[in-house]
Structure formats: C-alpha cells, structure tokens
Amino acid sequence: MEQNELVEQITKAVIRKLQEAEGGSGSPSASTAQQSQTRPAQPGEKPVAVPPTAQSLILPGELAPYIDHTILKPEATAEQVAQVCDEAIEHGFYSVCINTTWTEFCARRLRGSAVKLAVVVGFPLGAMDGRAKGFEARHAVELGADEIDMVMNIGALKSGRLTEVEQDIRWVRRSIRQRTVLKVILETTLLTDEEKVIACQIAKKAGADFVKTSTGFSKGGATTHDIALMRRTVGPKLGVKASGGVRTYDDALAMIQAGATRIGASSSVAIVSGGQGSDSY
Amino acid sequence: MEQNELVEQITKAVIRKLQEAEGGSGSPSASTAQQSQTRPAQPGEKPVAVPPTAQSLILPGELAPYIDHTILKPEATAEQVAQVCDEAIEHGFYSVCINTTWTEFCARRLRGSAVKLAVVVGFPLGAMDGRAKGFEARHAVELGADEIDMVMNIGALKSGRLTEVEQDIRWVRRSIRQRTVLKVILETTLLTDEEKVIACQIAKKAGADFVKTSTGFSKGGATTHDIALMRRTVGPKLGVKASGGVRTYDDALAMIQAGATRIGASSSVAIVSGGQGSDSY
C-alpha cells in the first residue's frame, strides 16, 4: 500500500512538471497527459522535440534511415530472415531487428554493410528474470548485436514494484557495452498514461537510450498519442521508437511528426515505396 | 535443399514405423498420423498409452494432481501470482506454472507445501538463443524451480535445421539438474503433423521428460488429435502435456483420454469444480 501511494505521488509530480514545462506561464492551451488522450496531436501541429529533418515533410524514400526492419514471428525461417537482411542492405534501413536465435546468422549476413543489428531481449512478455535478460543481451552483443530492444518488467510496474522495474533494466544496461544502444519496450497498450510516464522516467534513469512503444505481440501497437506522451516525458535527448502496427508511409510519418526518432516495422519496403504492407509483425 | 530432403525421409520413416507399431499385422483398422487428422479419437475409444487411472472416468475433483495451475500474462501482478499459488495449495494442483521473474516469489510462497514450481523458458516464441534459454533455466532452478517448460526453436525446425533444434534443447537439459523435469513446448498450431512428429522425436532424443502442445500465446491451443499424435510418437514413458484453451472439466478429461498426463490451465479451479473458466491463459 505504501508503494502504491509512492507511485501515485511520483505520477502526480511528474505530470505537474510536464504541464508546467508544456504550458509555459499557464496558458489555457497547455495540454496535459490526461487531455492529450482524448485529443491526439493534430496534423500540422508543432511536434515536441523532433529532430529538425522531421519537422518538414519527409518523402517515402527518405524514411529508410529511421527504420528498424523487423522479423520476429517465431516460425520465421532462415530464408525469410536472410531476405530481411538483404532488403535492409538494399534499401538502406537503419537496422535489422530479430530474435536472438538469429544473431550470429544475421551478423554474418550484414557484415561489410552499414546496417546495424538490433535484437530483442526478454521478448515479448518482459516477464523473464532480469539476470536472464542480462545474459541474453550480453551474449547477443558478443555475437554481433549493436542494439538491444528489451521488454520492461510490466508485471512489476503493475504491482508498484518500481525498484524491481529499474533493477531489471540495470541488469541489461550493465551486461552490455556502453556504446550498445539500449531500447526499453513499454508495451503501452497494457499501461495507463500514468504508468507510461512512470515507465519512461524509470527507463531514462536506468540508462536507456530509447523508449519504445510495443512488441507487436500484444493487443495494440504504437499511437501518436503515446509517442507524444513518451517524447514529452523523456525530453529531447532520448530516442523514441514507434513499433507495432506501423504499416504505411502515412503511419510512419505521423509517428515521426509526433516525436518518434525510430520506426519498427516489418512492412518497411512498402513504407519506403509509399505503399501499404500487410505483413504481420 | 539437402536438409529438406533429409527431413522428408526421416518423417516418412518415422510415420511408417508408427503405422507398423500401431497396426500390428496390418489390420485395416490401423490409423495413421495422417488419418487421425480427420478422425479425432472418439469417446470410449481405447486411448493410447495412458496411465491406468485415466482409462476409467475421472471425477472433477480427481483432476487436481494432473494440473499445472498457470499464470503467464505479462501484466500479472504480485497479488494475482500469489493467489494462483494459494489456489494451488488449497486445491492440491500438481504445480504452479509462471514466468521466471516470479520464481523466487513463488518458491517462497509455496514453501512447505507439496505443490511443485514450474517455470517457462524462452517463452513464448522459442526464438531466444539456446545458451540464454540454458541460463534462464539454470538460474530458475537455483531459485527453486522444479520443472522447466521451454519453447522449442520453431524457426529452426521450419528451416530444416534439425541439429540446431536438438542443440537448443540440449543447452537447457545440460544446464539443469537431472531430477529437474524438462518439458518441450512444440507450439503445435504452427506445425504440420510431420513437423510435430519430428519435434517429438528430437525432444525425446535430447532428453526431454515431456512434450507439450502450446504456449497459449499463438493462434491455437491443445487438440485431442495432437495429444494422440504426440503420445503415439513419444511412446508410453514420456509425459504429454495439454495446454492452451483447456478451460472445462470436459476439455481436460478429453485430453487425458487422448493420452495427456498433465494439463496446463489457468481455469484450473473451474475445471476441478466441474465448471467453465473464462480466464485468458
């Protein structure tokens, strides 16, 4: 019970600070995390803390450097994973995002290219023991991974066990190199706005480089509302990755306009061609 | 291509042997793995290789020792996990089945009771690096787990990389104690009947104590067809666990009559009360 009160107090304090930072001298147009749930960022509205390039219109072909080209379904074959690597090289995607069983295979396939290798850890439930997440991450880095997309301990957050949520991320941060990029997946569809804010704060404190919306394996994916909330919470320096259900050029652009600096997608080729993907994540 | 041919040859050989073993001197009633797909085991039909108790009718209250009482959803709170432990003690379920983040918590909660502690590993995609599965399993055993429910490397099987599928299971088998029970989850809904047979053979060869149908997080769960096929393939000595979608007493009884020796369920209390559960896995 004590912990729950603490959670509530922190939440209120964070949301108050966000309101202050956003509303300046208390102008009536100040939107709060609460309000923006019912009023998603409008097209044309100035996005919060987005890199300069994203503030002007990005053409489909210019989206490639934002994209983690992703294949995570358990039944994916070596042939399909290889194809994703080859597409990433061909289209100049930022990275390939895979399950750790394919780390060595993809590191070899991508060798000599500029494409980074991102792997998922404790995926997709985030309910794996923190030390095991750390081991999975370290071993993947040893085999060639450049970026780790770990899932947060959602159950611990829901239980108000915030020290455990932070410790879980720290296990992974400590297990990998300083230059290895660490993304923390919140699985926003399972969280309240208050929980999203707390999760962002903890991820930032524990040394994450990115916060990321979704695994693609739960009830829902990225929304512009969540991206804007996450961007406001972590500030301009951390990365924000939109993932899950981003299937078209319009989807991707809306996410970037809302504050995303990275897009996770399996329909990446369709996105940079201005078309629409139908693939599952 | 060579590997695919090998897979096909092994499959044919295995299915031929199963037909021989089943049909005796080639009686016309001999059912094959192929035929049983369209003709599930009928009620009253003699089940294959089921323990003596299961051959007579089991009353709802007598099902408890068959059940792994399960809570695996990522948003499960400490309170909900504790409740599952308490229910297992109250109703005499065989075990509690949880994600590894809760291992220590549940080991403490179950201390002094007869309820075993089962944890899932590489869950639910099975696409985690084999060494990481081994670490997750070993660490869980150190914290008090009695049984490990690991997910097979489905993508490797689909790619015909059968040595990798076996190696993956061996990493876990070697990481845990000899007395620790190892179950291998096939995720049958993603496999053809031929792949199910191959998966069972590999799991048995690699030292599994059980084969298990499903994670509960994919498209489908346990069927009597799959249980019967798995039982025929592994023979009478290995365990077969039916999991995913088993929500009523009738479901559970049908699985046991088809050859299951263990049931994974979250609706366990409803099952032993003769009612129907609505909980998601």
Side-chain angles (χ1 to χ4, degrees), chain A residues 72-79 99-103 105 122-132 135-136 138-139 143 153-156 158-159 161 164 168 190 217 219, chain B residues 72-79 99-103 105 122-132 135-136 138-139 143 153-156 158-159 161 164 168 190 217 219:
Chain A
L72 292 170
K73 55 184 181 184
E75 69 273 31
T77 61
E79 202 180 336
N99 282 294
T100 49
T101 189
W102 298 109
T103 311
F105 178 85
F123 191 88
L125 303 185
M128 182 161 105
D129 181 276
R131 283 180 186 79
F135 181 95
E136 185 182 18
R138 182 173 68 243
H139 187 57
L143 294 177
N153 190 331
I154 300 157
K158 291 276 179 188
S159 309
R161 298 170 159 236
E164 280 180 38
D168 188 71
L190 297 180
F217 285 84
K219 291 173 242 170
Chain B
L72 293 169
K73 56 184 181 185
E75 69 273 31
T77 62
E79 203 180 336
N99 281 294
T100 50
T101 188
W102 298 110
T103 311
F105 179 85
F123 191 87
L125 304 184
M128 182 161 106
D129 181 276
R131 282 180 188 79
F135 181 94
E136 186 183 17
R138 184 174 65 242
H139 188 57
L143 294 177
N153 190 330
I154 300 158
K158 290 275 178 189
S159 309
R161 299 172 158 236
E164 280 180 39
D168 188 71
L190 298 179
F217 285 83
K219 291 173 242 171

Side-chain angles (χ1 to χ4, degrees), chain B residues 24-66:
Chain B
S25 54
S27 87
S29 72
S31 76
T32 69
Q34 303 292 44
Q35 286 170 341
S36 58
Q37 187 163 29
T38 52
R39 195 189 62 84
Q42 300 301 310
E45 188 177 334
K46 189 173 176 258
V48 186
V50 183
T53 54
Q55 298 193 12
S56 53
L57 188 70
I58 307 170
L59 297 173
E62 295 168 345
L63 277 175
Y66 287 82

Side-chain angles (χ1 to χ4, degrees), chain B:
Chain B
M1 287 308 251
E2 238 179 356
Q3 230 167 358
N4 286 344
E5 279 167 31
L6 189 65
V7 172
E8 211 169 302
Q9 278 181 21
I10 294 174
T11 307
K12 280 182 188 163
V14 168
I15 288 182
R16 205 182 315 119
K17 287 220 169 183
L18 286 173
Q19 289 172 352
E20 286 166 16
E22 227 178 47
S25 54
S27 87
S29 72
S31 76
T32 69
Q34 303 292 44
Q35 286 170 341
S36 58
Q37 187 163 29
T38 52
R39 195 189 62 84
Q42 300 301 310
E45 188 177 334
K46 189 173 176 258
V48 186
V50 183
T53 54
Q55 298 193 12
S56 53
L57 188 70
I58 307 170
L59 297 173
E62 295 168 345
L63 277 175
Y66 287 82
I67 294 177
D68 289 346
H69 192 29
T70 301
I71 183 160
L72 293 169
K73 56 184 181 185
E75 69 273 31
T77 62
E79 203 180 336
Q80 292 169 325
V81 173
Q83 190 190 330
V84 165
C85 291
D86 296 347
E87 287 169 353
I89 295 171
E90 185 190 337
H91 294 276
F93 296 131
Y94 187 82
S95 83
V96 158
C97 183
I98 50 147
N99 281 294
T100 50
T101 188
W102 298 110
T103 311
E104 212 169 354
F105 179 85
C106 290
R108 215 176 303 134
R109 193 91 183 180
L110 295 173
R111 197 167 291 158
S113 80
V115 177
K116 302 280 186 190
L117 181 54
V119 301
V120 294
V121 158
F123 191 87
L125 304 184
M128 182 161 106
D129 181 276
R131 282 180 188 79
K133 288 181 187 174
F135 181 94
E136 186 183 17
R138 184 174 65 242
H139 188 57
V141 169
E142 284 165 3
L143 294 177
D146 303 297
E147 308 204 340
I148 301 293
D149 289 29
M150 69 171 287
V151 186
M152 188 188 61
N153 190 330
I154 300 158
L157 179 70
K158 290 275 178 189
S159 309
R161 299 172 158 236
L162 303 188
T163 314
E164 280 180 39
V165 177
E166 188 181 330
Q167 187 58 46
D168 188 71
I169 301 170
R170 287 195 189 278
W171 278 117
V172 178
R173 179 74 269 175
R174 273 185 220 145
S175 304
I176 56 180
R177 296 173 189 147
Q178 201 47 47
R179 69 168 183 272
T180 306
V181 170
L182 178 60
K183 311 191 192 92
V184 174
I185 306 172
L186 311 186
E187 200 69 289
T188 43
T189 192
L190 298 179
L191 307 183
T192 65
D193 275 5
E194 286 71 17
E195 288 166 342
K196 290 168 205 167
V197 167
I198 295 168
C200 284
Q201 293 287 338
I202 294 176
K204 188 177 179 180
K205 188 179 164 206
D209 300 298
F210 270 82
V211 287
K212 172 177 167 181
T213 58
S214 317
T215 63
F217 285 83
S218 191
K219 291 173 242 171
T223 65
T224 51
H225 164 72
D226 286 340
I227 292 293
L229 176 60
M230 290 159 71
R231 170 56 68 201
R232 281 199 300 273
T233 307
V234 299
K237 288 182 188 166
L238 251 64
V240 175
K241 176 172 170 181
S243 55
V246 183
R247 293 202 184 86
T248 66
Y249 163 69
D250 287 344
D251 290 345
L253 194 65
M255 295 301 163
I256 291 172
Q257 284 176 333
T261 47
R262 196 77 70 83
I263 302 291
S266 56
S267 306
S268 322
V269 175
I271 290 172
V272 296
S273 312
Q276 172 149 8
S278 59
D279 282 4
S280 70
Y281 200 55

Side-chain angles (χ1 to χ4, degrees), chain A residues 43-270:
Chain A
E45 187 176 335
K46 188 171 177 255
V48 186
V50 183
T53 54
Q55 299 194 13
S56 54
L57 189 69
I58 307 168
L59 297 172
E62 295 169 344
L63 278 176
Y66 287 83
I67 294 176
D68 289 344
H69 192 29
T70 301
I71 183 160
L72 292 170
K73 55 184 181 184
E75 69 273 31
T77 61
E79 202 180 336
Q80 292 169 324
V81 173
Q83 190 190 331
V84 165
C85 291
D86 296 347
E87 287 169 354
I89 295 171
E90 185 191 337
H91 295 277
F93 295 131
Y94 186 82
S95 83
V96 157
C97 182
I98 51 146
N99 282 294
T100 49
T101 189
W102 298 109
T103 311
E104 212 169 355
F105 178 85
C106 290
R108 215 177 300 134
R109 192 93 184 182
L110 295 173
R111 196 167 291 159
S113 80
V115 177
K116 301 281 186 191
L117 181 55
V119 301
V120 293
V121 159
F123 191 88
L125 303 185
M128 182 161 105
D129 181 276
R131 283 180 186 79
K133 288 181 185 174
F135 181 95
E136 185 182 18
R138 182 173 68 243
H139 187 57
V141 169
E142 284 165 3
L143 294 177
D146 303 297
E147 308 204 341
I148 301 293
D149 290 28
M150 71 172 286
V151 186
M152 188 188 61
N153 190 331
I154 300 157
L157 179 70
K158 291 276 179 188
S159 309
R161 298 170 159 236
L162 303 187
T163 314
E164 280 180 38
V165 176
E166 187 181 332
Q167 187 58 46
D168 188 71
I169 301 169
R170 287 196 190 276
W171 278 117
V172 177
R173 179 73 270 175
R174 275 185 219 146
S175 304
I176 55 180
R177 296 171 190 148
Q178 202 46 48
R179 68 167 184 274
T180 307
V181 170
L182 178 60
K183 311 191 193 92
V184 174
I185 306 173
L186 311 188
E187 200 69 289
T188 43
T189 191
L190 297 180
L191 307 183
T192 64
D193 275 5
E194 286 71 17
E195 288 166 341
K196 290 168 204 166
V197 167
I198 295 169
C200 284
Q201 293 286 338
I202 294 176
K204 188 177 179 181
K205 188 179 165 206
D209 301 297
F210 271 81
V211 286
K212 172 175 167 181
T213 58
S214 317
T215 63
F217 285 84
S218 191
K219 291 173 242 170
T223 66
T224 52
H225 164 72
D226 286 339
I227 292 293
L229 176 60
M230 289 160 71
R231 170 56 69 201
R232 282 199 300 273
T233 307
V234 298
K237 288 182 187 166
L238 250 65
V240 175
K241 177 171 170 181
S243 55
V246 184
R247 293 204 183 86
T248 67
Y249 164 69
D250 288 343
D251 289 345
L253 194 65
M255 294 301 161
I256 291 171
Q257 283 174 334
T261 47
R262 196 77 70 80
I263 302 290
S266 55
S267 307
S268 323
V269 175

